C-alpha cells in the first residue's frame, strides 16, 4: 500500500487562484490569510499521513471489541486520539467563546477530507463530536453550554447522536424511547438505540449522547419528539464526572466496513438527561447536528475517492501489462492503456472538482454566520442549505463509484486485502446510507430545498453559476468546459421548472436523477473556474485545463440523459403493482 500524500498543492491552488480566500476572509473581518491556512493544512496533513494512515489497515483487521461491557478500540487509536487533541485539532473551527480556535470552516472540511482519506473510522470520533457541539451551542440552555461545551471543544470529551431504533430509522415518527421528568429539571431516559457510531470507546473522558425521546403525553409523530443530553458520566459531589449513568452498550454491530469504528447498540435504562431546546421540538434541534454531519459524511466520500486515486495511479504507473497502442513496445505500464486512463480521470475529475465545491460551500457557511450584511448572510445560508443534500449524496455516491473504479484499475490485486483497495470499497459504502440515505437526500432536495424562499435560493445559485460560466467562456482554455456546463445548466433549469409542477410521485421518481444533474452542473462550474484560473499559468497548472476538457467531453454529456430521465415522469416507475415485485 502506498503512503498517503495530503493534497496541499491543490489546496494552495484553490485558495489562491479559484476561491479568492484572502478577499473572502477580508469581507468577514477575519485575520486569516492563505499562508496561515496552508500552514494549518500542512500540519493537519502530517497528522493524517504519519499518525492516522498507518492505523487504517490494522484498525480494520482488529476492529473494535466489546469486553465486559466496555468498548476496546484497535491498538493505537487511543494514542492517536490524544495526539489529535494535543495538536488542538478538536476545536479547529469551534467558537473561541468555549475554547475553540474559530478558524474558517474550509479548514475544517479539508481536515475532514484528509482524515477520511487516511482513516475513515477514526474521523468519525471528532466528526460526531463536532456535530454534538453545534447542536448544544445552538439549542441548549446556558447552564448546559457552560458545563458541556468547553470539554467537547477541547476534545477532552466526545459526542454521539442517538436517533435510530429497531423500528424507527428514517421514519422518526415511530420512535419509542421515553423521557420522564425527574428531580432538578433532569429526565430519566429509557429505550434502546441502534447504529450509534462512537457510542462508547476507551479514549477516556465523558461521552455526551444526544438522544431523541418522547415526553409523557407528547403528541404523536415527529411533533412529539424531544432532544436530551445524556452523558456517560454524571457529576459527583465534588463536581467531577465520575458517576456512571444508567446507560450501557448492549452489542457492537458486525459491519461490512469501518470495522475500527464502534457502532453500538445502546441501552438507556432510566439514564439521567437534560432537555436540549424546546419540548417536542427535538427533531428541529437534532437537524442542527444532522446537517453538520451530512456535510462531513459527504466529505468522507471525497476523502476515500482521493485516497483510492492515489493508490490506483501509483499502481498503474508501476504495473506492466500488455503492449503499447502501436504494438511496438511491451510490456508497458498500464497507465498507457486508454481504459485505465479513463477510470483514473473519472476519479480525479470528481476529486478535484468536489474539493473545490466543498471549499466554496465552506466559505458560504462562514459567510452565513459572519458577514456584516444580513442579506448576504441570508443568501449564503440558503446556498449551504441547498448544497448540503447535494454534497452528501453526490460525494458519497461518486466516492463509492470511485473506490470501485480504483479497485478495477488494480484488477485481481484490487480484490486482495494486501493492497488495501477492498477496504476503501467496504468503508465507502456506509457513507451512502448513514446520516440519511442518499435517496432521502434527493427527496429533501426536490421536496424542500428547491422551494426555499419561494424558489429564489436555487434561482440565485443558477444566476451565480451562469455569470461565472460567461466569464470563463471568454478564456480559451476554459471555453469548452464553460460552454458544456452552460448547456447542462439550461437543462437543469428546464428540469427545475418541470419538477415545480409535479406531485409527490413525480418528485420521488425524479429526485435521484435531478440531484445527480445538479451535482454535475456544480462540478462543471468548479472546473470552469479552475480552468480559467489555470490559464494564467499553464506551465504550472496546465493539467487543470486538460482535466477540465476531459470532464466536458466525457462526463458532462451525462446531463442530457439525466434531464431526460427527470422529464420522463413517474408513470413507468409506479405502473407495476406492488404485488408484482
Amino acid at each position: 500500500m502506498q503512503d498517503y500524500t495530503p493534497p496541499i498543492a491543490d489546496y494552495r491552488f484553490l485558495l489562491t487562484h479559484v476561491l479568492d480566500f484572502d478577499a473572502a476572509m477580508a469581507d468577514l473581518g477575519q485575520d486569516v490569510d492563505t499562508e496561515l491556512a496552508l500552514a494549518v493544512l500542512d500540519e493537519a496533513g502530517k497528522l493524517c499521513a504519519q499518525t492516522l494512515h498507518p492505523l487504517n489497515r490494522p484498525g480494520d483487521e482488529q476492529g473494535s471489541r466489546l469486553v465486559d461491557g466496555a468498548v476496546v478500540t484497535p491498538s493505537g487509536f487511543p494514542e492517536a486520539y490524544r495526539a489529535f487533541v494535543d495538536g488542538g485539532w478538536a476545536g479547529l473551527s469551534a467558537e473561541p467563546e468555549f475554547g475553540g480556535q474559530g478558524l474558517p470552516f474550509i479548514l475544517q472540511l479539508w481536515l475532514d477530507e484528509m482524515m477520511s482519506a487516511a482513516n475513515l473510522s477514526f474521523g468519525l470520533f471528532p466528526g460526531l463530536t463536532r456535530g454534538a457541539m453545534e447542536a448544544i451551542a445552538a439549542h441548549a440552555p446556558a447552564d448546559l453550554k457552560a458545563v458541556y461545551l468547553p470539554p467537547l471543544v477541547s476534545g477532552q470529551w466526545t459526542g454521539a447522536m442517538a436517533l435510530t431504533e429497531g423500528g424507527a430509522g428514517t421514519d422518526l415518527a415511530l420512535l419509542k424511547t421515553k423521557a420522564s421528568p425527574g428531580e432538578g429539571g433532569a429526565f430519566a431516559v429509557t429505550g434502546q438505540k441502534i447504529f450509534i457510531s462512537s457510542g462508547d470507546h476507551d479514549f477516556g473522558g465523558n461521552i455526551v449522547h444526544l438522544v431523541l425521546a418522547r415526553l409523557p403525553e407528547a403528541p404523536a409523530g415527529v411533533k412529539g419528539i424531544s432532544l436530551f443530553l445524556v452523558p456517560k458520566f454524571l457529576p459527583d459531589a465534588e463536581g467531577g464526572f465520575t458517576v456512571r449513568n444508567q446507560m450501557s452498550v448492549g452489542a457492537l454491530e458486525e459491519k461490512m466496513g469501518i470495522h475500527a469504528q464502534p457502532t453500538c447498540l445502546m441501552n438507556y435504562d432510566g439514564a439521567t438527561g437534560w432537555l436540549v431546546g424546546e419540548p417536542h421540538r427535538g427533531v428541529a434541534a437534532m437537524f442542527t447536528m444532522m446537517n453538520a454531519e451530512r456535510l462531513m459524511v459527504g466529505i468522507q466520500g471525497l476523502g476515500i475517492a482521493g485516497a483510492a486515486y492515489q493508490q490506483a495511479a501509483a499502481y498503474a504507473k508501476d504495473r506492466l501489462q500488455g503492449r503499447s497502442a502501436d504494438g511496438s513496445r511491451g510490456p508497458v505500464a498500464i497507465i498507457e492503456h486508454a481504459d485505465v486512463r479513463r477510470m483514473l480521470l473519472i476519479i480525479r475529475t470528481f476529486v478535484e472538482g468536489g474539493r473545490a465545491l466543498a471549499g466554496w460551500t465552506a466559505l458560504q457557511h462562514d459567510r452565513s454566520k459572519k458577514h456584516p450584511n444580513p442579506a448576504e448572510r441570508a443568501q449564503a445560508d440558503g446556498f449551504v442549505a441547498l448544497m448540503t443534500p447535494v454534497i452528501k449524496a453526490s460525494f458519497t455516491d461518486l466516492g463509492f463509484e470511485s473506490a470501485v473504479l480504483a479497485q478495477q484499475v488494480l484488477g485481481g490485486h484490487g480484490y486482495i486485502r494486501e493492497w488495501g483497495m477492498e477496504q476503501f470499497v467496504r468503508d465507502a459504502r456506509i457513507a451512502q446510507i448513514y446520516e440519511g440515505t442518499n435517496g432521502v437526500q434527493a427527496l429533501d432536495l426536490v421536496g424542500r430545498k428547491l422551494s426555499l424562499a419561494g424558489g429564489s435560493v436555487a434561482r440565485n445559485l443558477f444566476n451565480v453559476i451562469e455569470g461565472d460560466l460567461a466569464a470563463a467562456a471568454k478564456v480559451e482554455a476554459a471555453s469548452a468546459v464553460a460552454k458544456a456546463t452552460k448547456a447542462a445548466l439550461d437543462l437543469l433549469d428546464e428540469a427545475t421548472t418541470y419538477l415545480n409542477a409535479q406531485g409527490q410521485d413525480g418528485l420521488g421518481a425524479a429526485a435521484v436523477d435531478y440531484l445527480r444533474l445538479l451535482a454535475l452542473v456544480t462540478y462543471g462550474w468548479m472546473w470552469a473556474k479552475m480552468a480559467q484560473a489555470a490559464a494564467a499559468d499553464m506551465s504550472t497548472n496546465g493539467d487543470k485545463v486538460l482535466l477540465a476538457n476531459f470532464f466536458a467531453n466525457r462526463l458532462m454529456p451525462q446531463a442530457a440523459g439525466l434531464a431526460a430521465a427527470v422529464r420522463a415522469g413517474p408513470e413507468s416507475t409506479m405502473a407495476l403493482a406492488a404485488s408484482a415485485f
Side-chain angles (χ1 to χ4, degrees):
M1 179 182 288
Q2 296 287 320
D3 293 336
Y4 171 64
T5 302
I8 304 302
D10 205 35
Y11 293 148
R12 176 180 289 277
F13 171 74
L14 293 173
L15 291 173
T16 304
H17 300 297
V18 180
L19 300 175
D20 203 1
F21 178 75
D22 288 348
M25 292 299 99
D27 279 351
L28 304 182
Q30 299 295 291
D31 189 21
V32 181
D33 62 13
T34 295
E35 292 310 311
L36 174 59
L38 287 167
V40 171
L41 290 167
D42 188 57
E43 288 303 312
K46 291 175 183 177
L47 173 76
C48 293
Q50 298 170 13
T51 301
L52 302 185
H53 185 253
L55 297 176
N56 193 39
R57 180 176 165 185
D60 177 67
E61 293 173 345
Q62 290 181 36
S64 284
R65 297 171 292 122
L66 192 61
V67 179
D68 297 328
V71 169
V72 178
T73 58
S75 300
F77 268 58
E79 294 79 7
Y81 185 75
R82 283 195 289 274
F84 178 85
V85 171
D86 290 346
W89 301 109
L92 185 70
S93 61
E95 291 300 324
E97 176 186 358
F98 297 103
Q101 299 180 51
L103 288 171
F105 191 56
I106 193 171
L107 303 185
Q108 182 68 67
L109 278 194
W110 283 347
L111 168 59
D112 288 346
E113 180 196 349
M114 290 188 283
M115 281 198 295
S116 299
N119 195 320
L120 185 63
S121 289
F122 181 91
L124 276 163
F125 292 105
L128 287 163
T129 301
R130 190 171 73 250
M133 286 190 286
E134 293 194 16
I136 293 168
H139 300 286
D143 57 339
L144 287 183
K145 291 181 185 180
V147 171
Y148 287 92
L149 279 179
L152 285 169
V153 168
S154 71
Q156 177 186 350
W157 294 355
T158 59
M161 63 178 183
L163 288 74
T164 307
E165 299 179 7
T170 301
D171 189 356
L172 292 174
L174 302 176
L175 184 146
K176 295 181 179 178
T177 299
K178 303 292 185 183
S180 303
E183 297 180 359
F187 293 81
V189 177
T190 302
Q192 186 179 83
K193 301 286 185 177
I194 64 171
F195 303 160
I196 309 306
S197 300
S198 304
D200 192 43
H201 54 70
D202 54 354
F203 299 167
N206 214 343
I207 304 174
V208 180
H209 288 221
L210 293 182
V211 184
L212 289 180
R214 293 187 185 279
L215 290 165
E217 300 180 1
V222 294
K223 295 181 179 179
I225 298 174
S226 301
L227 180 64
F228 298 88
L229 186 157
V230 184
K232 179 178 179 179
F233 293 106
L234 300 168
D236 56 29
E238 286 73 38
F241 284 77
T242 62
V243 179
R244 191 70 163 82
N245 206 347
Q246 295 299 304
M247 53 192 283
S248 62
V249 182
L252 291 184
E253 305 290 354
E254 297 288 339
K255 310 185 297 291
M256 173 181 172
I258 56 167
H259 293 156
Q261 169 59 219
T263 306
C264 303
L265 182 154
M266 295 298 307
N267 295 314
Y268 303 93
D269 300 310
T272 300
W274 290 268
L275 185 66
V276 174
E278 300 175 20
H280 317 314
R281 296 279 297 160
V283 172
M286 180 61 83
F287 265 99
T288 298
M289 184 175 189
M290 284 287 287
N291 286 330
E293 298 308 321
R294 285 172 174 173
L295 284 176
M296 184 266 288
V297 169
I299 299 302
Q300 289 179 341
L302 181 65
I304 285 281
Y309 172 82
Q310 289 188 17
Q311 297 284 339
Y315 180 89
K317 288 184 281 189
D318 185 62
R319 175 70 164 167
L320 302 178
Q321 286 280 286
R323 303 190 67 79
S324 61
D326 63 6
S328 65
R329 295 174 292 112
V332 296
I334 64 172
I335 193 67
E336 292 196 32
H337 301 319
D339 188 56
V340 172
R341 286 171 169 256
R342 176 189 65 84
M343 292 186 284
L344 290 172
L345 286 167
I346 289 172
I347 303 170
R348 184 168 170 183
T349 51
F350 157 58
V351 169
E352 295 187 17
R355 185 175 292 143
L357 184 60
W360 180 87
T361 305
L363 292 179
Q364 295 301 313
H365 176 277
D366 282 348
R367 198 173 180 84
S368 74
K369 307 291 184 185
K370 299 175 182 177
H371 198 281
N373 186 327
E376 292 288 339
R377 290 199 302 272
Q379 176 173 272
D381 188 61
F383 287 163
V384 174
L386 180 65
M387 291 308 300
T388 293
V390 177
I391 286 176
K392 194 282 181 186
S394 72
F395 279 27
T396 58
D397 279 346
L398 290 167
F400 178 71
E401 292 167 24
S402 295
V404 172
L405 282 172
Q407 184 183 43
Q408 190 76 11
V409 170
L410 270 67
H413 291 296
Y415 202 67
I416 303 301
R417 174 175 288 273
E418 174 188 358
W419 293 84
M421 298 303 292
E422 58 85 34
Q423 184 187 345
F424 287 141
V425 173
R426 289 186 289 105
D427 284 355
R429 186 65 182 90
I430 185 57
Q432 297 170 286
I433 298 171
Y434 59 17
E435 306 306 340
T437 65
N438 287 357
V440 169
Q441 303 305 308
L443 290 171
D444 178 49
L445 174 65
V446 301
R448 296 185 181 93
K449 301 303 172 58
L450 286 184
S451 61
L452 287 173
S456 65
V457 172
R459 172 51 49 204
N460 288 341
L461 178 63
F462 295 173
N463 289 341
V464 170
I465 294 172
E466 186 169 17
D468 286 346
L469 294 177
K474 297 175 183 177
V475 178
E476 183 178 357
S479 62
V481 69
K483 291 174 181 177
T485 304
K486 175 58 169 66
L489 177 62
D490 291 342
L491 293 173
L492 177 65
D493 202 353
E494 294 170 6
T496 305
T497 300
Y498 168 84
L499 281 185
N500 287 337
Q502 294 302 299
Q504 194 61 40
D505 281 348
L507 292 175
V512 169
D513 292 315
Y514 182 88
L515 187 146
R516 180 67 73 107
L517 176 59
L518 176 52
L520 197 65
V521 168
T522 53
Y523 299 154
W525 169 38
M526 289 295 115
W527 273 114
K529 289 170 69 68
M530 287 190 284
Q532 181 182 5
D537 186 3
M538 291 291 287
S539 62
T540 303
N541 301 312
D543 284 358
K544 298 291 187 187
V545 174
L546 300 179
L547 290 165
N549 287 337
F550 175 85
F551 187 88
N553 293 330
R554 300 305 302 267
L555 298 181
M556 193 56 85
Q558 296 173 12
L562 291 165
V566 169
R567 294 193 304 270
E571 290 77 18
S572 60
T573 301
M574 304 306 296
L576 194 63
S579 60
F581 282 86

